[in-house]
Every structure is written in structure tokens, then in C-alpha cells.
Amino acid sequence: MAKEEAAPLLSAAQDVISYASGNEPIVLKSGNAVFDRSLAKSLARMTALFGVLPGFAYFDEPMGEGSNAYATSAVRLDRDDGTVLFGTRMLKGLLGRPTAPDAAVLAVCAHEYGHIVQYRRGLSARLNAGQSTVKRQELHADYLAGYFAAVRKIENANFSSVTFATTMYDLGDTAFHSRNHHGTHDERAAAVMAGFSARKERGLTVDQAIADGLNYVGA
């Protein structure tokens, strides 16, 4: 999301927090204190893994615009690498999923952190060069979300990594002629699985995976 588009959301968002350690004050939005604390710790894991420190805040999506989450290079905290904005309507929808709702929320967060990586490393222009849609940029973020899922799966064999792929599958679209086309259902799930394999099967480092993800979406 461009800075000028993010400005009204940032100004309306409350309690922008950077999760560097996972022990920062938490923003209670889910109604479940255990989940909110776990999310804070997971965001701190993303910070450490990807080497970025975005601000994180919830916002109320405007009426009639559906549910969404965004990443922007705009900041409200000076030390941050952009901001992740998570819609409260999207949060409620993901937490209402019948299986592994917590992993579904993490999938979206990891995708948005993937965008922060792109901003930090100056990859957005490269990903969007010559493209009529943002699909390559979005699939690269899906790839990095899959990489994070693999890291968590290695740490905890019971982690529901498959939920990352099913969540992005559900968020796929067929708006091929829209600038905001993110990728089809199958493309988004496949990008997550490619990122997962990059860590779980191929053992790539984060830097290697970021580069490999560029090659993946470029192909």
C-alpha cells in the first residue's frame, strides 16, 4: 500500500507497536488474551527471522470494502521498517475458521511481513517492473510466508503449516485485469508451498530464500 493510501488508516489506527521481543504490551483485539500473547511472540519471531521491524496495528475496515490487511512503507514509529495494518473484520473472519484459526492469522501476518522485507530491500520496483498487476509482488510475499511456516514446523512438528497454503488459496482471485490481482487460488497456495520447501526440504537461508523467491515468481 502506497504511503498516501496508508495515511488515513495510520492516523485512525490505535496502539501501533513494534514486536521485537514478544514481551511488549499487547493490543487486545481477539477477545482471547492467550491468543494475543501468542501472536505477539510470533510477530517477534518474524522480526528476528526476516530482519525487519515493522509497526503493527489493527484498523477498522471502511464499510462496504470487505476485509483486508495491508503493509506499507509508511511509519508512525520512527525506528520502524514500515507498518503492518490488520483489519479487525479480517481478524474476526480468520478466527472464525473451523480449523487452526491462529495459524490462519499468522499466515496473513507473515505475508504482510514479506512485503516489509520487499520495502526494506528495495525489491518492489523489481517485482512490479513491466507488470500490469501486483501479482509477482504478492506471490513473493506468499513464498516468504511459506518459508516462515517451514521454520515454525521445524521448531514444532504440530504446527499447522498447511493452513498457510489453504489460507492463501482462499484469498486467491481471478481478477486478471485488475491492478490489484494477487494471483489465482492455485498460484497463491503453490507459492506458499514453494517457500515452505525452500526451508524444509532445501535448507535455504533467509537471504537465499528471498532471492530464490524472486526467481520463482519471475518464472
Side-chain angles (χ1 to χ4, degrees):
M1 173 177 272
K3 289 183 178 181
E4 58 271 18
E5 294 177 294
L9 298 182
L10 269 175
S11 63
Q14 302 296 316
D15 301 318
V16 180
I17 296 175
S18 299
Y19 290 106
S21 69
N23 296 316
E24 292 80 7
I26 59 175
V27 182
L28 298 173
K29 285 291 183 180
S30 73
N32 183 325
V34 173
F35 167 81
D36 291 323
R37 172 56 64 196
S38 176
L39 177 61
K41 291 187 178 299
S42 292
L43 295 179
R45 280 193 175 101
M46 293 179 199
T47 290
L49 177 65
F50 293 127
V52 295
L53 182 62
F56 181 90
Y58 291 105
F59 74 100
D60 295 324
E61 297 100 324
M63 291 298 294
E65 292 191 11
S67 61
N68 220 323
Y70 301 102
T72 175
S73 59
V75 298
R76 208 165 84 176
L77 301 174
D78 289 341
R79 68 192 181 112
D80 287 344
D81 300 311
T83 309
V84 171
L85 294 161
F86 206 111
T88 53
R89 195 178 301 136
M90 170 161 272
L91 177 68
K92 182 178 179 180
L94 293 173
L95 290 177
R97 290 171 67 102
T99 58
D102 52 344
V105 173
L106 284 187
V108 173
C109 289
H111 171 93
E112 301 304 338
Y113 268 63
H115 285 311
I116 298 297
V117 171
Q118 294 165 356
Y119 299 145
R120 174 71 181 269
R121 300 197 179 207
L123 301 176
S124 298
R126 175 178 172 181
L127 285 161
N128 291 322
Q131 301 300 301
S132 60
T133 74
V134 296
K135 184 172 81 168
R136 284 187 180 179
Q137 186 173 8
E138 297 301 328
L139 293 181
H140 186 258
D142 288 340
Y143 179 104
L144 294 181
Y147 186 89
F148 175 78
V151 170
R152 291 292 291 116
K153 188 69 171 180
I154 291 169
E155 294 172 344
N156 177 7
N158 294 321
F159 181 75
S160 184
S161 55
V162 69
T163 299
F164 277 54
T166 58
T167 299
M168 292 309 161
Y169 178 92
D170 291 343
L171 293 174
D173 69 84
T174 54
F176 302 114
H177 301 295
S178 168
R179 174 65 182 169
N180 290 320
H181 174 47
H182 281 36
T184 67
H185 303 284
D186 288 340
E187 285 173 332
R188 298 202 66 178
V192 171
M193 291 187 288
F196 183 89
S197 176
R199 179 65 186 95
K200 187 70 164 56
E201 308 300 332
R202 300 164 60 198
L204 299 190
T205 67
V206 171
D207 288 338
Q208 289 171 334
I210 291 170
D212 189 69
L214 292 173
N215 293 330
Y216 175 84
V217 301

